[in-house]
Amino acid sequence: MNEFIQYLKDEKNKAPNTIVAYGRDIRAFDRFLKSREVGFLLDCRENDAVAYVMDLDKKKKSASTINRKISSLRLYYDFYKERGEIDINPFDDIKTAKPETREIEFLTVDEIEKLIDLPDDSHKGYRDKALLEFMYGTGARVTEVVRLRFSDINFKMNFVMCSDGTEEKRIIPMGKYCKKALIEYIDKAYNAIKGDIRLPDDYVFINFRGSPLTRQGIWKILKEYGEMMDIKEKMTPQILRNSFAVHILQNGGDLKTLQELMGFDDISAGMAYLSVIKVRVRDVYNRSHPRA
């Protein structure tokens, strides 16, 4: 495993977050093999590979997730095949899953502005406004939001460090609106909600018992404001993350930057967002390419 990771760094020049994803995929497959009483990764046979893909499908994993795992494992076994340690790559004949076509739902800039204007000047309102500004302003996953601590925020340098529970943290710029809402939340509401003074390692978004908001708690807050705008059914953490991504691309951002900001394992994960801005992409091409 360590040799393969070094190969990804030195010869494939893979980005750090991509290497982390490869490692995660291989360790997950190793656990699956052990559940089938296959002791070592290099003892895998094609029937084990087929069983793994079938298991992923049974667990309702998305086509993009399944395809990424197949790609990771195919490269892993290719590496050891080239070194002569195995004769056959068990993933050579495994077909990739057909990508599902789904429409990306997002809010318009006007809808985002209306949404963020909804919280009032109560303690709850200051917290909720900071939550909305943070989720839209950073594109953070809901798991990253619930784990966020004040020690993860650098107000001087205007960035936050987000983690979804893995060892790796990703750095995301913090815009002025997000920063302003967080500071107002800290100054005007946090201690009152917590019932005590704020400490550097405290969780940022808390409920009125002083405990960190849960995923379910955040969903409930979003549904509350979605109902005010008559969009309750589609008001989810993912729609704010989608809106973050789409608005960046609509305003000239590129897929590589979006990959870094959103923590995608590879750039293909951002391709789905291009479908909603295809007209803009064509216009940019027509205006920019010398032979358009």
Side-chain angles (χ1 to χ4, degrees), residues 61-188:
K61 298 296 183 181
S62 69
S64 59
T65 295
I66 293 173
N67 289 342
R68 191 199 71 233
K69 290 179 180 292
I70 291 173
S71 176
S72 296
L73 292 163
R74 187 175 286 148
L75 182 61
Y76 175 79
Y77 285 105
D78 270 345
F79 171 72
Y80 286 101
K81 184 179 176 182
E82 289 174 8
R83 289 165 58 99
E85 296 191 34
I86 58 174
D87 296 324
I88 297 172
N89 184 333
F91 281 85
D92 266 348
D93 295 326
I94 302 296
K95 294 182 179 179
T96 54
K98 184 178 180 181
E100 63 270 22
T101 56
R102 58 185 181 88
E103 186 178 346
I104 298 291
E105 286 195 303
F106 65 98
L107 302 181
T108 66
V109 174
D110 285 344
E111 286 175 322
I112 286 289
E113 290 179 352
K114 289 175 184 176
L115 175 69
I116 291 174
D117 282 343
L118 288 175
D120 58 24
D121 290 338
S122 65
H123 292 147
K124 178 181 182 302
Y126 283 115
R127 182 204 62 188
D128 294 353
K129 187 180 184 71
L131 176 67
L132 295 171
E133 286 279 17
F134 182 83
M135 294 183 73
Y136 170 67
T138 63
R141 301 178 177 93
V142 67
T143 51
E144 295 171 330
V145 177
V146 300
R147 291 174 181 273
L148 186 72
R149 298 176 186 266
F150 285 106
S151 55
D152 296 322
I153 305 174
N154 189 318
F155 284 108
K156 288 185 178 180
M157 300 298 291
N158 298 322
F159 70 81
V160 296
M161 298 181 66
C162 287
S163 171
D164 61 0
T166 62
E167 292 182 4
E168 294 291 320
K169 287 193 173 185
R170 59 195 187 92
I171 297 175
I172 311 173
M174 178 172 58
K176 60 184 179 181
Y177 292 101
C178 176
K179 178 179 179 178
K180 179 175 182 290
L182 284 169
I183 290 173
E184 286 187 338
Y185 168 45
I186 292 168
D187 291 345
K188 300 179 181 180

Side-chain angles (χ1 to χ4, degrees), residues 195-253:
D196 200 351
I197 61 171
R198 178 177 65 89
L199 300 174
D201 207 37
D202 280 346
Y203 286 100
V204 175
F205 297 107
I206 58 175
N207 59 32
F208 279 81
R209 296 186 299 277
S211 302
L213 282 175
T214 62
R215 292 168 59 96
Q216 292 78 12
I218 291 175
W219 274 69
K220 184 178 178 181
I221 291 168
L222 296 186
K223 293 295 185 185
E224 173 190 340
Y225 290 106
E227 189 169 18
M228 293 182 190
M229 293 180 62
D230 200 27
I231 55 170
K232 180 181 178 181
E233 294 308 312
K234 72 174 185 176
M235 193 63 209
T236 65
Q238 186 62 44
I239 204 169
L240 290 179
R241 187 165 153 82
N242 288 349
S243 301
F244 168 85
V246 170
H247 295 166
I248 283 176
L249 292 176
Q250 284 179 333
N251 286 282

